């Protein structure tokens, strides 16, 4: 595979879905990283903020993940309809929820209704993914 | 009025998505000899998209400052409807009913999550 050129959907079948999945994954990671950074910054004044390198690294890598996810997103958009791809972003709710529950620093608990909501999103995304009129 | 700010944020975010799609389409049609990243960065739409998305996120942060997260996020899910409408009328994408149904489920799901 020619790594100089970004693998396009014409090169690998289902590349579009891989790109969308990768983009959603990266943007979920980014949201968690930014949330972690904000939590740690919350009680600091500006001097401590500039001196605390862990949250700064979290901030920088969060923004980096967002940028990378945007790149993958646009690659996916070049061969998929916007109305097909965009609902897939709903999956990031699921990933962010899972990360938030699994990471103790974020103090979030699973709940019955949150799980119901997640299931609705999964159904919704599955329906949209089946709504492609061309077999891609 | 926070609701106007929410609307503004949604308009920015939807425009950002639309611009990304336009840029991606243009880059796709260009000569594939150049790497994709370069083709994307050459498009004006890419930079307008970045501006719109950045503005949208900033306005959203202002909204969250004044409003509880659990009240604000359900409005964000309206973005899914906005994007579908824009895709249909502006991009002339054919949207089958099953896609609308899927979006409805997503909106219901995100609303349940944020108010629970």
């Amino acid at each position: 595979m020619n790594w100089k050129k970004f693998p396009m959907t014409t090169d690998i079948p289902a590349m579009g879905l891989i790109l969308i999945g990768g983009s959603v994954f990266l943007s979920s990671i980014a949201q968690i990283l930014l949330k972690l950074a904000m939590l740690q910054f919350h009680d600091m004044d500006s001097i401590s903020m500039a001196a605390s390198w862990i949250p700064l690294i979290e901030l920088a890598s969060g923004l980096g993940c967002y940028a990378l996810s945007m790149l993958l997103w646009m690659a996916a958009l070049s061969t998929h309809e916007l109305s097909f791809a965009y609902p897939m972003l709903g999956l990031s709710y699921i990933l962010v929820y899972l990360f938030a529950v699994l990471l103790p620093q974020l103090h979030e608990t699973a709940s019955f209704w949150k799980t119901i909501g997640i299931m609705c999103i999964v159904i919704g995304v599955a329906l949209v993914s089946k709504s492609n009129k061309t077999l891609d | 009025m926070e609701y106007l700010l929410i609307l503004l944020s949604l308009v920015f975010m939807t425009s950002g998505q639309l611009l990304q799609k336009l840029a991606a389409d243009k880059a796709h049609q260009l000569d594939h000899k150049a790497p994709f990243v370069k083709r994307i960065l050459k498009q004006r739409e890419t930079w307008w998209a970045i501006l719109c998305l950045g503005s949208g996120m900033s306005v959203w942060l202002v909204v969250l400052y004044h409003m509880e997260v659990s009240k604000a996020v359900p409005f964000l899910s309206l973005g899914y409807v906005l994007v579908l409408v824009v895709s249909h009328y502006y991009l002339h994408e054919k949207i089958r009913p099953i896609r609308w149904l899927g979006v409805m489920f997503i909106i219901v799901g995100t609303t349940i999550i944020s108010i629970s």
Side-chain angles (χ1 to χ4, degrees):
Chain A
M1 203 157 53
N2 185 355
W3 285 107
K4 256 192 181 173
K5 293 169 73 176
F6 208 89
M8 293 309 297
T9 57
T10 43
D11 301 337
I12 306 171
M15 189 64 187
L17 292 177
I18 296 174
L19 288 169
I20 292 178
S23 177
V24 168
F25 181 75
L26 280 170
S27 94
S28 307
I29 300 262
Q31 287 177 61
I32 292 289
L33 283 169
L34 292 177
K35 218 171 175 183
L36 282 172
M38 287 303 132
L39 271 179
Q40 289 170 273
F41 277 141
H42 193 255
D43 303 314
M44 293 183 192
D45 57 56
S46 27
I47 301 176
S48 321
M49 273 194 214
S52 38
W53 54 275
I54 292 183
L56 281 176
I57 291 181
E58 284 168 352
L59 195 61
S61 40
L63 292 174
C65 281
Y66 256 140
L68 199 53
S69 87
M70 212 177 130
L71 183 62
L72 295 184
W73 182 249
M74 292 184 78
L77 280 183
S78 61
T79 47
H80 281 278
E81 294 177 328
L82 181 61
S83 56
F84 175 80
Y86 190 70
M88 305 284 168
L89 289 184
L91 290 173
S92 74
Y93 277 98
I94 303 172
L95 282 178
V96 172
Y97 173 63
L98 280 176
F99 282 127
V101 167
L102 291 172
L103 288 176
Q105 302 99 309
L106 291 170
H107 307 301
E108 288 191 37
T109 49
S111 83
F112 171 74
W113 280 112
K114 278 193 181 136
T115 312
I116 297 283
I118 292 283
M119 294 203 303
C120 283
I121 295 179
V122 170
I123 294 174
V125 171
L127 285 174
V128 172
S129 70
K130 293 280 173 244
S131 70
N132 222 355
K133 60 183 188 311
T134 57
L135 287 169
D136 221 280
Chain B
M1 258 282 256
E2 299 95 16
Y3 296 103
L4 283 180
L5 285 180
I6 292 181
L7 187 63
L8 185 63
S9 175
L10 283 177
V11 167
F12 272 131
M13 300 293 240
T14 307
S15 308
Q17 288 293 332
L18 178 64
L19 287 162
Q20 280 183 86
K21 171 61 174 169
L22 292 173
D25 281 343
K26 283 175 78 177
H28 187 60
Q29 277 152 17
L30 286 182
D31 183 5
H32 277 230
K33 268 195 254 151
F36 183 73
V37 181
K38 276 216 181 105
R39 278 183 275 147
I40 282 289
L41 292 176
K42 257 205 262 179
Q43 308 304 324
R44 277 200 158 137
E45 285 87 350
T46 306
W47 300 101
W48 282 111
I50 293 175
L51 190 66
C52 279
L53 292 174
S55 310
M57 285 200 228
S58 310
V59 175
W60 186 246
L61 286 177
V62 175
V63 171
L64 289 183
Y65 188 76
H66 292 287
M67 197 188 268
E68 274 178 37
V69 178
S70 53
K71 265 185 80 184
V73 172
F75 289 103
L76 198 56
S77 65
L78 286 181
Y80 290 108
V81 174
L82 265 184
V83 168
L84 276 202
V85 167
V86 161
S87 305
H88 181 72
Y89 286 106
Y90 193 83
L91 295 171
H92 306 296
E93 294 177 3
K94 291 201 169 44
I95 306 181
R96 289 158 57 197
I98 193 175
R99 193 172 288 179
W100 283 106
L101 186 64
V103 169
M104 290 299 129
F105 265 98
I106 295 174
I107 292 177
V108 168
T110 31
T111 310
I112 292 179
I113 289 181
S114 47
I115 64 179
S116 67

mmCIF file of all heavy atoms in Angstrom, chain A residues 114-129:
data_model
loop_
_atom_site.group_PDB
_atom_site.id
_atom_site.type_symbol
_atom_site.label_atom_id
_atom_site.label_comp_id
_atom_site.label_asym_id
_atom_site.label_seq_id
_atom_site.Cartn_x
_atom_site.Cartn_y
_atom_site.Cartn_z
ATOM 1 N N LYS A 114 -29.353 5.823 31.104
ATOM 2 C CA LYS A 114 -28.252 6.117 30.178
ATOM 3 C C LYS A 114 -28.066 4.937 29.232
ATOM 4 O O LYS A 114 -27.813 5.112 28.033
ATOM 5 C CB LYS A 114 -26.951 6.376 30.951
ATOM 6 C CG LYS A 114 -26.841 7.771 31.486
ATOM 7 C CD LYS A 114 -25.426 8.102 31.958
ATOM 8 C CE LYS A 114 -25.406 9.517 32.516
ATOM 9 N NZ LYS A 114 -24.662 9.654 33.758
ATOM 10 N N THR A 115 -28.222 3.719 29.782
ATOM 11 C CA THR A 115 -28.060 2.536 28.944
ATOM 12 C C THR A 115 -29.172 2.458 27.902
ATOM 13 O O THR A 115 -28.924 2.113 26.742
ATOM 14 C CB THR A 115 -28.057 1.274 29.812
ATOM 15 O OG1 THR A 115 -27.167 1.472 30.919
ATOM 16 C CG2 THR A 115 -27.599 0.069 29.020
ATOM 17 N N ILE A 116 -30.385 2.803 28.317
ATOM 18 C CA ILE A 116 -31.501 2.823 27.368
ATOM 19 C C ILE A 116 -31.206 3.825 26.259
ATOM 20 O O ILE A 116 -31.394 3.555 25.061
ATOM 21 C CB ILE A 116 -32.817 3.218 28.077
ATOM 22 C CG1 ILE A 116 -33.192 2.185 29.118
ATOM 23 C CG2 ILE A 116 -33.939 3.402 27.063
ATOM 24 C CD1 ILE A 116 -33.806 0.920 28.559
ATOM 25 N N GLY A 117 -30.727 4.989 26.646
ATOM 26 C CA GLY A 117 -30.405 6.014 25.659
ATOM 27 C C GLY A 117 -29.347 5.530 24.683
ATOM 28 O O GLY A 117 -29.452 5.741 23.474
ATOM 29 N N ILE A 118 -28.329 4.862 25.231
ATOM 30 C CA ILE A 118 -27.264 4.317 24.382
ATOM 31 C C ILE A 118 -27.850 3.329 23.374
ATOM 32 O O ILE A 118 -27.512 3.345 22.184
ATOM 33 C CB ILE A 118 -26.197 3.606 25.246
ATOM 34 C CG1 ILE A 118 -25.443 4.616 26.093
ATOM 35 C CG2 ILE A 118 -25.262 2.808 24.382
ATOM 36 C CD1 ILE A 118 -24.428 5.400 25.341
ATOM 37 N N MET A 119 -28.763 2.477 23.861
ATOM 38 C CA MET A 119 -29.342 1.477 22.957
ATOM 39 C C MET A 119 -30.133 2.145 21.841
ATOM 40 O O MET A 119 -30.102 1.698 20.690
ATOM 41 C CB MET A 119 -30.209 0.486 23.742
ATOM 42 C CG MET A 119 -29.375 -0.348 24.693
ATOM 43 S SD MET A 119 -30.097 -1.937 25.176
ATOM 44 C CE MET A 119 -31.647 -1.429 25.862
ATOM 45 N N CYS A 120 -30.836 3.229 22.175
ATOM 46 C CA CYS A 120 -31.558 3.971 21.136
ATOM 47 C C CYS A 120 -30.597 4.492 20.077
ATOM 48 O O CYS A 120 -30.869 4.417 18.875
ATOM 49 C CB CYS A 120 -32.305 5.160 21.744
ATOM 50 S SG CYS A 120 -33.820 4.717 22.588
ATOM 51 N N ILE A 121 -29.456 5.007 20.536
ATOM 52 C CA ILE A 121 -28.482 5.544 19.592
ATOM 53 C C ILE A 121 -27.950 4.435 18.697
ATOM 54 O O ILE A 121 -27.807 4.604 17.478
ATOM 55 C CB ILE A 121 -27.325 6.241 20.330
ATOM 56 C CG1 ILE A 121 -27.837 7.456 21.073
ATOM 57 C CG2 ILE A 121 -26.225 6.631 19.368
ATOM 58 C CD1 ILE A 121 -26.774 8.195 21.841
ATOM 59 N N VAL A 122 -27.677 3.272 19.303
ATOM 60 C CA VAL A 122 -27.165 2.148 18.508
ATOM 61 C C VAL A 122 -28.166 1.755 17.424
ATOM 62 O O VAL A 122 -27.811 1.554 16.262
ATOM 63 C CB VAL A 122 -26.861 0.941 19.428
ATOM 64 C CG1 VAL A 122 -26.561 -0.291 18.611
ATOM 65 C CG2 VAL A 122 -25.676 1.258 20.335
ATOM 66 N N ILE A 123 -29.456 1.669 17.829
ATOM 67 C CA ILE A 123 -30.497 1.336 16.848
ATOM 68 C C ILE A 123 -30.523 2.390 15.745
ATOM 69 O O ILE A 123 -30.571 2.071 14.545
ATOM 70 C CB ILE A 123 -31.878 1.252 17.527
ATOM 71 C CG1 ILE A 123 -31.904 0.089 18.504
ATOM 72 C CG2 ILE A 123 -32.979 1.100 16.488
ATOM 73 C CD1 ILE A 123 -33.186 0.027 19.323
ATOM 74 N N GLY A 124 -30.473 3.653 16.160
ATOM 75 C CA GLY A 124 -30.531 4.736 15.182
ATOM 76 C C GLY A 124 -29.383 4.669 14.190
ATOM 77 O O GLY A 124 -29.589 4.772 12.975
ATOM 78 N N VAL A 125 -28.173 4.471 14.700
ATOM 79 C CA VAL A 125 -27.004 4.421 13.814
ATOM 80 C C VAL A 125 -27.096 3.210 12.891
ATOM 81 O O VAL A 125 -26.773 3.294 11.702
ATOM 82 C CB VAL A 125 -25.708 4.381 14.646
ATOM 83 C CG1 VAL A 125 -24.518 4.106 13.755
ATOM 84 C CG2 VAL A 125 -25.507 5.694 15.383
ATOM 85 N N ALA A 126 -27.571 2.073 13.433
ATOM 86 C CA ALA A 126 -27.710 0.876 12.597
ATOM 87 C C ALA A 126 -28.689 1.136 11.458
ATOM 88 O O ALA A 126 -28.440 0.750 10.304
ATOM 89 C CB ALA A 126 -28.179 -0.302 13.447
ATOM 90 N N LEU A 127 -29.807 1.811 11.767
ATOM 91 C CA LEU A 127 -30.793 2.125 10.731
ATOM 92 C C LEU A 127 -30.175 3.014 9.649
ATOM 93 O O LEU A 127 -30.345 2.786 8.458
ATOM 94 C CB LEU A 127 -32.003 2.828 11.346
ATOM 95 C CG LEU A 127 -32.965 1.937 12.138
ATOM 96 C CD1 LEU A 127 -34.032 2.778 12.814
ATOM 97 C CD2 LEU A 127 -33.620 0.915 11.217
ATOM 98 N N VAL A 128 -29.433 4.026 10.089
ATOM 99 C CA VAL A 128 -28.825 4.930 9.108
ATOM 100 C C VAL A 128 -27.804 4.184 8.258
ATOM 101 O O VAL A 128 -27.721 4.386 7.045
ATOM 102 C CB VAL A 128 -28.142 6.125 9.805
ATOM 103 C CG1 VAL A 128 -27.359 6.943 8.813
ATOM 104 C CG2 VAL A 128 -29.183 6.985 10.498
ATOM 105 N N SER A 129 -27.066 3.283 8.875
ATOM 106 C CA SER A 129 -26.037 2.590 8.107
ATOM 107 C C SER A 129 -26.665 1.682 7.057
ATOM 108 O O SER A 129 -26.027 1.346 6.061
ATOM 109 C CB SER A 129 -25.128 1.780 9.038
ATOM 110 O OG SER A 129 -25.837 0.688 9.571
#
